[in-house]
Amino acid sequence: MEIVLRAARVGTERMEDQAAGRGPSTPLFCLDVAREVQADVGRWHAARVHDKTDERQIARRARWEEARWQVQHIIATEPDPTRTV
């Protein structure tokens, strides 16, 4: 749940900045949110390492698994753009 809230915060912070005239006026892309969530997942897993495992390696694996899950989720839930209805 923490990750979902972080993803929502990424979007709302950028929208608030745009509405207030602060910062760049670039749109918020799904890729930006995906990267933020991947980074947060990596940090979350690295912070919970209790043995002598390399935290960077744990974070890297967690980011990869999150990215893999995101792609699989998109493929499973989005309609095929090549199919005609």
Side-chain angles (χ1 to χ4, degrees):
M1 185 58 132
E2 177 182 326
I3 293 167
V4 174
L5 294 174
R6 175 68 180 134
R9 266 188 244 117
V10 169
T12 55
E13 287 169 0
R14 299 248 328 247
M15 287 188 289
E16 288 172 356
D17 286 345
Q18 285 178 344
R22 297 185 301 258
S25 60
T26 57
L28 177 64
F29 295 104
C30 291
L31 185 57
D32 296 332
V33 175
R35 285 180 180 150
E36 284 284 331
V37 172
Q38 290 166 22
D40 283 344
V41 166
R43 282 191 290 273
W44 188 87
H45 281 277
R48 281 148 183 80
V49 174
H50 297 295
D51 55 7
K52 294 185 184 245
T53 309
D54 184 10
E55 291 178 11
R56 293 173 298 166
Q57 195 69 1
I58 295 294
R60 182 173 172 258
R61 279 192 212 127
R63 287 192 309 268
W64 169 253
E65 287 301 319
E66 175 61 24
R68 190 172 68 86
W69 180 89
Q70 290 172 357
V71 170
Q72 288 175 331
H73 183 72
I74 290 168
I75 290 169
T77 59
E78 293 304 309
D80 182 355
T82 62
R83 292 183 84 188
T84 56
V85 179

